[in-house]
Amino acid sequence: MKTTARVVIIGGGVVGCSVLYHLTKKGWSDVMLLERDQLTSGSTWHAAGGFHTLNGDPNVAMLQSYTVSLYEELERISGQSCGLHKSPGIMLADTPERMEFLKMTVARGRYLGMETEIISVKEALNYFPFIEEKYFLGALLDPNEGHLDPSGTTYAYAKAARIGGATIEVQTKVESLEQKPDGTWRVITNKGVVECEHVVNAGGLWAREVGRMVGIELPVLAMEHMYLVTDDIPEVEAFNKSAGKEIGHVIDFGAESYLRQEGKGMVLGVYEQAGKPWSTKTTPWSFGQELLQPDLDRIAPSLEIAFKHFPTLENAGIKRVINGPFTFAPDGNPLVGPVQGRTNFWSACGVMAGFSQGGGVGLALSNWMVDGDPGFDIWGMDVARYGDWATRTYTNAKVRENYSRRFRIRFPNEELPAGRPLQTTSLYDKFIEQGAVMGDSWGMETPLWFAPSVAEAKDVVSFHRSNDFPHIKAECKAVREAVGVTEVANFAKYEITGPGAEAWLQSQMTNTLPKTGRLQLCPMLNHNGKIIGDFTIAKAAEERFMMWGSSQAQVYHMRWFEQTLPTDGSVTITPFGMKLIGLSIAGPKSRELLQRLTDDDVSGEAFKFMDYREMEVATVRAHVNRVTYTGDLGYEIWVAPEYQRRLYESIMEAGADLGIKNFGMRALLCMRLEKNFGTWFREFRPIYGPFEAGLDRFVKLDKHDYIGKAAAIKEKADGPKKTRIFMVVDALDCDVMGDEPIWVDGKVVGWVTSGGYGHYVEQSLAQGYIPTEYFKPEMKLEIEILGERRPARLQMDPPFDPEAKRMRM
Ligand SMILES: Cc1cc2nc3c(=O)[nH]c(=O)nc-3n(C[C@H](O)[C@H](O)[C@H](O)COP(=O)(O)OP(=O)(O)OC[C@H]3O[C@@H](n4cnc5c(N)ncnc54)[C@H](O)[C@@H]3O)c2cc1C
């Protein structure tokens, strides 16, 4: 066995083999895969082998589409058959909501170039003849689905990788990992030690064990999964003969089942409600190519519906039942990328659909390792989207929930209950008592809106405007006309100190840093000049800065900062997490309210827009920012958590006669929309340049140096390829939710990033991107909402306070 390699990949399932192949394709041939048994010995060998391109996250859908398009190339290069059966797939809707969901899915696929369409139940019979028509309303047709041979495909990746120079060692178990002081790794196996630069965890069912070798607990859990293979069904053969084709793939949401042809019979798989986790704490190393005991009782409720929906299947004999485990992350998407805090340790885990996603995972990870960037927007799969709050038991609750909802719709206003409440502030009970409907923001409970009573504090889930509508309106009105208070705990907050703090921070940010006592909005770019951060920075003192960003991106950003911090100890960055939390007060009466709570002078002259000050507020030592995301006069007040309750009670008491009202996250997002403010991970993502995103004011090209500056200069010189636009939509009772296609002059050319109803300006609003070449003031805009093209018009100025006088008053 070789004793050195540039990269060691642990795990020879479909994912590890795909990463291996893609690294060779990128030109890294000194790469080695270690497999404790034979290739495919984890979940891979007993998979049903189905593949499809559809995914709720459009960026993940694109990588799935790449995976599906890869198989022919793989067969060609390796000479190994993947056993490909490409056939159309249909998704059947048995309720009006599922029909709406399918229409939305077709619309979202349009700008990705997906050729899906809505067809009638009658037309669906052309692909799947067993449908009992009366149960269904329609279907989605996806021409790009199919199934393959899982083992053949894994060996095809492996062979193609070997042709590219890679080495594969089977029967080689990695037993431990040691990092040397220079950041390189010693991989200790049952056959000796391999020294390497990078380690990739593609351990599949053993991903947790491999993670534990470097002291991390990855949020993955395996679930048992069953599918049946029927005996031959005469009607299957009859269909093949008369139609001249195989029966297509089917998803029946009502029966939580998927079906496809296998020989002259069918495969029927179920994502049942009573799903069962497998090996909740540790995966035994002794587990090999074996199956789990089937438990038909567990899937009986789904089978009952499937047999009602497709009566022909009821009389078919069952040839075999496969029950095997495979892993999921809490949200069902993979965990890919460099692991924060572990130099050159990469994750390729939690891939629940290896044959739809494995190629995309291999591509993104190999780009990342070789070029330093995944090359796509892979936030939906980034291992950094989870922090250490995603514990093993939290993961267990969420994975079971996700499994049971695999074929369920998630409505845009739907909050999922499992594993909650997890992180709460001292105000949690107080908010609940006042009718708060809480949401889960990456493990953190956040008030979304306030109902008039506890009894009414529940979302009626829907694609349409719902029961929160009048209450959010009232919250916005209170802010715009008097004063409101909201919790702003769910921001990331950092302190940056040390003699090198200013120089380092400046090298990260496109904007010049603020002077002492001032705030500055600072985008951050990667080396390709794409937006990877959007921060508010305060200079608190010489050598001390405070910084606020997106809470869900804290691990993502810390990973980046760790790579760029000077190694001489001259800069320290401390993420506060929940050790600094806050409240924001906003509205024309917020200054009067703040003045009642402090003996500092907070008049407009003494405490200006974008000022920062450390002062006592309601007897509490606080950092106060004169800025709010509402775009109104307002303040963010940050305190240690033990003082937050005191601060809140004082604000409510002092604001009573000013008409103070609680407002939640939904009102906050609505008000930022009325100001056309962008938001991280919607308008600002690593696929957009700063000029495309309209951040020109915050990007200095003629002052300091920073990462991505050369690319930013080029973007400006060449002209941005995309343009962020703001629109007023002629919506009916349903506003945009995000990812809808934008039609310009009758053609889909762009997509919505976010939007909703602007309650104070009483307009339905949307933000999105279109290619710059289509941008004309007189262009005819339409947005497809739930299958209907609604007229929209370009809005150049924010509809609320276009001259930004309120923030500065
Ligand atoms: C019943 C069933 C049906 C399925 N149907 C489908 C389907 O239709 N379509 C689809 O896309 N997906 C399907 N899947 C899921 C699919 O199987 C997985 O997505 C895929 O196999 C994951 O591959 P992997 O490489 O990540 O993990 P694994 O296949 O688990 O591979 C991990 C490998 O790592 C090795 N390993 C672990 N630790 C070490 C170590 N320390 N040293 C050396 N080697 C190590 C293991 O031996 C194993 O071979 C199904 C799964 C099941 C169980």
Side-chain angles (χ1 to χ4, degrees):
M1 188 171 79
K2 274 174 55 163
T3 55
T4 60
R6 187 166 197 178
V7 180
V8 166
I9 296 169
I10 305 173
V14 63
V15 174
C17 291
S18 167
V19 176
L20 189 73
Y21 166 65
H22 280 91
L23 282 171
T24 61
K25 203 172 161 186
K26 292 282 300 177
W28 281 17
S29 54
D30 184 15
V31 290
M32 189 175 190
L33 183 146
L34 306 180
E35 165 54 50
R36 65 180 188 113
D37 195 342
Q38 296 299 326
L39 297 183
T40 79
S41 292
S43 325
T44 298
W45 72 275
H46 46 41
F51 59 79
H52 55 91
T53 52
L54 296 170
N55 187 290
D57 180 328
N59 296 295
V60 179
M62 252 149 78
L63 288 176
Q64 295 194 180
S65 175
Y66 165 78
T67 305
V68 173
S69 68
L70 183 70
Y71 293 125
E72 277 154 17
E73 166 188 318
L74 258 191
E75 289 188 327
R76 210 174 46 249
I77 294 174
S78 65
Q80 160 80 46
S81 166
C82 296
L84 273 185
H85 291 248
K86 281 201 167 180
S87 59
I90 54 170
M91 291 179 159
L92 289 161
D94 59 340
T95 64
E97 291 76 22
R98 286 183 175 130
M99 203 59 218
E100 285 189 326
F101 171 75
L102 294 186
K103 286 181 186 163
M104 192 173 80
T105 306
V106 168
R108 285 182 168 174
R110 267 192 231 288
Y111 76 82
L112 299 177
M114 289 183 176
E115 295 156 359
T116 53
E117 59 177 301
I118 296 294
I119 56 172
S120 66
V121 183
K122 280 249 166 331
E123 288 169 302
L125 286 165
N126 293 329
Y127 304 94
F128 188 57
F130 307 140
I131 300 170
E132 186 68 42
E133 288 179 60
K134 66 178 180 200
Y135 292 115
F136 295 102
L137 303 174
L140 176 152
L141 173 67
D142 176 8
N144 243 335
E145 299 199 3
H147 64 273
L148 45 66
D149 166 19
S151 176
T153 302
T154 308
Y155 278 92
Y157 276 123
K159 278 191 177 171
R162 277 202 186 102
I163 292 168
T167 316
I168 297 176
E169 295 288 342
V170 295
Q171 303 296 344
T172 308
K173 182 184 164 217
V174 175
E175 293 180 329
S176 60
L177 292 165
E178 283 172 10
Q179 189 149 37
K180 299 203 294 189
D182 66 356
T184 61
W185 291 95
R186 292 184 79 234
V187 181
I188 295 113
T189 79
N190 56 341
K191 290 192 179 157
V193 176
V194 185
E195 306 234 344
C196 64
E197 232 174 273
H198 301 270
V199 171
V200 178
N201 177 0
L205 289 176
W206 294 268
R208 288 173 305 180
E209 280 68 22
V210 175
R212 286 171 196 152
M213 291 178 193
V214 299
I216 57 168
E217 188 64 39
L218 283 167
V220 284
L221 175 69
M223 295 291 290
E224 293 191 11
H225 179 67
M226 274 179 274
Y227 66 87
L228 327 172
V229 185
T230 71
D231 287 333
D232 292 354
I233 301 174
E235 289 87 343
V236 170
E237 202 176 358
F239 176 86
N240 295 157
K241 278 203 179 122
S242 66
K245 60 183 177 190
E246 275 191 317
I247 287 179
H249 277 235
V250 179
I251 286 175
D252 176 8
F253 294 101
E256 295 163 336
S257 301
Y258 61 89
L259 302 98
R260 68 165 171 84
Q261 184 169 342
E262 170 85 8
K264 290 175 186 166
M266 296 293 295
V267 158
L268 192 169
V270 176
Y271 282 86
E272 70 278 14
Q273 287 304 297
K276 191 172 164 201
W278 179 76
S279 287
T280 50
K281 236 174 167 171
T282 48
T283 304
W285 290 110
S286 57
F287 187 74
Q289 292 211 350
E290 59 214 64
L291 290 172
L292 307 174
Q293 193 60 33
D295 177 3
L296 286 180
D297 284 349
R298 215 166 66 224
I299 59 172
S302 301
L303 290 182
E304 209 172 292
I305 302 173
F307 293 153
K308 211 167 69 179
H309 286 176
F310 318 119
T312 312
L313 298 182
E314 191 166 10
N315 302 321
I318 296 176
K319 199 189 289 178
R320 56 179 192 277
V321 182
I322 309 289
N323 184 12
F326 64 112
T327 55
F328 295 79
D331 60 3
N333 274 334
L335 299 172
V336 180
V339 174
Q340 189 231 327
R342 302 289 180 280
T343 315
N344 291 343
F345 184 79
W346 304 79
S347 172
C349 306
V351 184
M352 63 76 55
F355 300 96
S356 299
Q357 299 173 333
V361 168
L363 178 67
L365 201 71
S366 60
N367 284 342
W368 217 333
M369 294 175 77
V370 176
D371 304 332
D373 187 273
F376 308 89
D377 184 344
I378 68 144
W379 170 248
M381 308 202 290
D382 194 329
V383 62
R385 70 192 185 278
Y386 289 103
D388 56 9
W389 50 268
T391 58
R392 191 166 38 75
T393 35
Y394 171 86
T395 301
N396 186 307
K398 276 292 174 204
V399 167
R400 279 187 289 128
E401 178 183 68
N402 185 269
Y403 187 92
S404 72
R405 297 183 54 90
R406 173 92 177 109
F407 291 142
R408 295 245 167 134
I409 297 168
R410 175 146 185 205
F411 292 95
N413 62 340
E414 184 166 13
E415 292 292 322
L416 304 180
R420 296 177 52 205
L422 184 63
Q423 298 175 62
T424 57
T425 69
S426 64
L427 297 180
Y428 179 76
D429 297 336
K430 259 191 175 303
F431 286 143
I432 298 276
E433 274 165 23
Q434 294 179 84
V437 174
M438 303 299 283
D440 170 22
S441 173
W442 300 91
M444 166 82 217
E445 293 295 320
T446 308
L448 297 175
W449 60 281
F450 288 82
S453 70
V454 175
E456 292 163 273
K458 193 171 168 24
D459 273 315
V460 175
V461 296
S462 171
F463 289 118
H464 301 259
R465 290 177 193 157
S466 190
N467 58 324
D468 58 357
F469 194 83
H471 309 297
I472 297 174
K473 194 177 193 66
E475 290 170 25
C476 295
K477 188 169 155 53
V479 173
R480 295 294 192 218
E481 295 178 2
V483 59
V485 58
T486 193
E487 187 171 57
V488 285
N490 62 340
F491 283 38
K493 319 103 199 166
Y494 311 83
E495 187 182 50
I496 300 111
T497 54
E502 182 142 15
W504 172 74
L505 204 50
Q506 191 62 93
S507 72
Q508 306 296 303
M509 303 295 160
T510 62
N511 205 353
T512 40
L513 292 180
K515 296 195 168 53
T516 307
R518 293 286 293 161
L519 296 163
Q520 192 68 283
L521 299 181
C522 296
M524 181 166 83
L525 306 181
N526 63 16
H527 294 279
N528 300 329
K530 302 293 182 200
I531 306 166
I532 54 166
D534 168 38
F535 299 96
T536 304
I537 297 179
K539 184 166 182 182
E542 278 313 308
E543 303 186 6
R544 185 160 74 89
F545 291 83
M546 298 292 296
M547 183 166 83
W548 291 264
S550 161
S551 71
Q552 49 179 296
Q554 184 175 303
V555 178
Y556 174 91
H557 285 139
M558 282 306 292
R559 182 176 67 191
W560 178 265
F561 294 145
E562 279 168 6
Q563 287 166 16
T564 60
L565 274 177
T567 49
D568 60 5
S570 61
V571 186
T572 306
I573 177 162
T574 312
F576 283 113
M578 296 300 288
K579 295 198 181 79
L580 187 70
I581 52 178
L583 292 166
S584 173
I585 54 173
K589 295 189 181 166
S590 58
R591 177 180 294 132
E592 189 178 344
L593 171 58
L594 181 64
Q595 193 63 81
R596 290 179 184 184
L597 296 168
T598 181
D599 57 7
D600 260 52
D601 180 0
V602 293
S603 63
E605 300 72 44
F607 196 40
K608 297 194 179 63
F609 177 58
M610 296 299 277
D611 271 355
Y612 160 86
R613 197 185 288 172
E614 286 172 88
M615 62 174 139
E616 287 183 20
V617 181
T619 70
V620 178
R621 208 179 300 283
H623 305 259
V624 184
N625 296 343
R626 216 206 108 173
V627 68
T628 86
Y629 202 33
T630 59
D632 222 306
L633 172 68
Y635 308 84
E636 288 168 356
I637 308 165
W638 301 93
V639 296
E642 58 272 30
Y643 298 111
Q644 194 202 19
R645 201 177 169 100
R646 161 84 195 201
L647 177 66
Y648 177 75
E649 283 169 356
S650 306
I651 287 173
M652 291 311 266
E653 206 184 304
D657 65 326
L658 300 175
I660 193 158
K661 196 169 167 56
N662 288 306
F663 67 102
M665 180 57 73
R666 289 188 187 158
L668 181 64
L669 290 177
C670 156
M671 288 185 274
R672 70 97 195 173
L673 200 60
E674 293 177 334
K675 288 289 297 173
N676 190 20
F677 292 161
T679 183
W680 179 238
F681 283 132
R682 298 308 306 180
E683 286 72 38
F684 307 143
R685 295 185 73 121
I687 43 176
Y688 306 125
F691 297 102
E692 292 179 329
L695 292 172
D696 310 35
R697 275 189 303 137
F698 310 111
V699 182
K700 303 286 183 286
L701 297 180
D702 52 356
K703 295 212 163 83
H704 60 289
D705 273 339
Y706 51 87
I707 294 173
K709 184 176 176 185
I713 291 173
K714 186 165 180 342
E715 187 197 337
K716 175 93 175 173
D718 295 351
K721 294 205 167 41
K722 301 181 198 93
T723 300
R724 181 175 141 211
I725 58 171
F726 185 44
M727 294 160 283
V728 175
V729 190
D730 181 8
L732 297 172
D733 75 331
C734 174
D735 304 297
V736 300
M737 294 157 246
D739 300 324
E740 290 85 354
I742 302 174
W743 298 68
V744 175
D745 298 332
K747 196 170 151 196
V748 174
V749 299
W751 57 93
V752 169
T753 46
S754 68
Y757 194 71
H759 286 274
Y760 196 68
V761 300
E762 300 192 318
Q763 286 172 329
S764 186
L765 303 169
Q767 304 191 51
Y769 282 86
I770 59 168
T772 304
E773 70 211 73
Y774 288 92
F775 184 89
K776 287 184 263 87
E778 69 285 3
M779 66 191 157
K780 182 179 170 231
L781 286 166
E782 290 163 297
I783 299 180
E784 187 170 344
I785 305 177
L786 293 182
E788 196 179 331
R789 280 158 66 173
R790 300 300 311 161
R793 68 178 162 76
L794 201 60
Q795 175 76 28
M796 298 308 282
D797 295 319
F800 176 76
D801 189 23
E803 288 165 16
K805 287 188 177 148
R806 286 284 283 262
M807 296 190 290
R808 293 182 168 79
M809 71 193 257

